[in-house]
């Protein structure tokens, strides 16, 4: 599967020195999700995503 699941969206114009998208993704990784941060240029937002079917543990049904 080539899709992705968006877990959360964060505005790109956050306070200087603040990385809320990275902090959110790190917390999800500690929970066992392979979360990563990508930039959506069209909306000027950082997205925390999980690629493909990985959100359900990566097992294909």
């Amino acid at each position: 599967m080539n899709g992705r699941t968006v877990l959360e969206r964060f505005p790109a114009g956050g306070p200087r020195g603040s990385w809320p998208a990275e902090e959110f993704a790190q917390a999800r990784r500690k929970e066992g999700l392979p979360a990563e941060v990508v930039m959506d240029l069209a909306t000027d937002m950082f997205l925390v995503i999980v690629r493909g079917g990985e959100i359900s543990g990566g097992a294909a049904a």
Side-chain angles (χ1 to χ4, degrees):
M1 183 182 276
N2 292 329
R4 66 181 185 190
T5 301
V6 178
L7 301 177
E8 192 64 66
R9 302 176 194 299
F10 295 89
R16 186 177 186 96
S18 175
W19 297 90
E22 291 290 347
E23 292 165 0
F24 184 85
Q26 180 181 17
R28 300 301 70 82
R29 288 190 293 269
K30 287 182 179 179
E31 294 172 352
L33 288 176
E36 60 184 285
V37 178
V38 296
M39 180 69 186
D40 181 4
L41 296 175
T43 63
D44 197 32
M45 301 281 282
F46 288 111
L47 308 178
V48 179
I49 67 163
V50 176
R51 294 189 188 271
E54 298 175 31
I55 196 165
S56 61

